[in-house]
Amino acid sequence: MVIATELCALSEYRIYPGHGKLMIRRDGKPIWLGTSKAYSLTIQRKKAAKLVWTQAWRRLHKKGLSETATKKRTRRSNKVQRAVVGASLEDIKKKASEKSSVRSAAREAALKEMKDRKAANKAKSGGKGKAAPSGGATFQKVPKHMGGGRGKRGGTQR
């Protein structure tokens, strides 16, 4: 069974039979008002769009549209490959396509060459590297960002 309902002119809520007031405007237009609050505010000539609890205000401020609106489409950024300084794009693609066994063999060959070079340098210099300072304490230079523990203000623990 369908119940004939009216809409409130101010709040746009449903008015069921036996509720609300029918007001005839000066121009002869009939207006249904659901509550005495709506009637009072209409007489005071308040705008429905400025009253937070009315549907007009909710429509104006885009409230309650989440369940009806479809999901907004997002743009995907396209990935672009660029050449790195010292290597062209073709070189990078060639390296990426070659098998890992070839790469590991090349890495091992490079390591072996470096070890041979170090051994040759050691033999040339006569086997004496840098001697450790006397006293047994060796100090290493530590970068600023790794050691110290001091912020911008510097120095003391409190």
Side-chain angles (χ1 to χ4, degrees):
M1 180 174 129
V2 179
I3 300 172
T5 57
E6 300 288 337
L7 281 181
C8 177
L10 186 85
S11 65
E12 297 176 34
Y13 291 153
R14 279 203 180 129
I15 305 170
Y16 290 94
H19 296 269
K21 269 188 181 174
L22 176 62
M23 184 177 109
I24 310 296
R25 274 202 323 213
R26 288 172 89 185
D27 62 357
K29 188 179 179 194
I31 286 180
W32 281 95
L33 298 162
T35 58
S36 58
K37 177 182 184 177
Y39 177 80
S40 173
L41 290 165
T42 306
I43 295 296
Q44 294 172 51
R45 296 204 172 141
K46 299 289 180 191
K47 289 192 171 118
K50 290 192 174 186
L51 302 169
V52 179
W53 55 275
T54 61
Q55 292 302 311
W57 184 90
R58 291 181 67 79
R59 216 179 7 262
L60 193 68
H61 292 86
K62 298 180 174 66
K63 305 292 176 191
L65 300 174
S66 60
E67 55 269 35
T68 57
T70 56
K71 188 181 171 203
K72 190 177 178 185
R73 288 180 64 185
T74 55
R75 284 187 64 190
R76 270 202 167 151
S77 57
N78 297 331
K79 286 189 176 182
V80 178
Q81 275 195 326
R82 294 195 184 126
V84 182
V85 177
S88 67
L89 192 58
E90 290 80 34
D91 294 341
I92 294 169
K93 282 185 179 176
K94 195 182 345 169
K95 269 197 175 168
S97 65
E98 73 185 16
K99 289 191 172 131
S100 62
S101 59
V102 177
R103 277 201 299 268
S104 60
R107 192 182 311 116
E108 285 171 13
L111 280 170
K112 191 173 184 185
E113 183 194 336
M114 194 179 287
K115 283 181 183 176
D116 292 345
R117 202 178 314 137
K118 276 189 178 178
N121 281 347
K122 204 168 197 181
K124 194 193 320 182
S125 66
K128 46 185 167 166
K130 279 193 173 178
S134 61
T138 59
F139 293 101
Q140 283 187 321
K141 205 168 188 184
V142 179
K144 278 185 180 177
H145 73 278
M146 293 179 91
R150 290 183 242 135
K152 289 181 182 177
R153 298 187 182 190
T156 59
Q157 272 188 328
R158 293 185 187 132

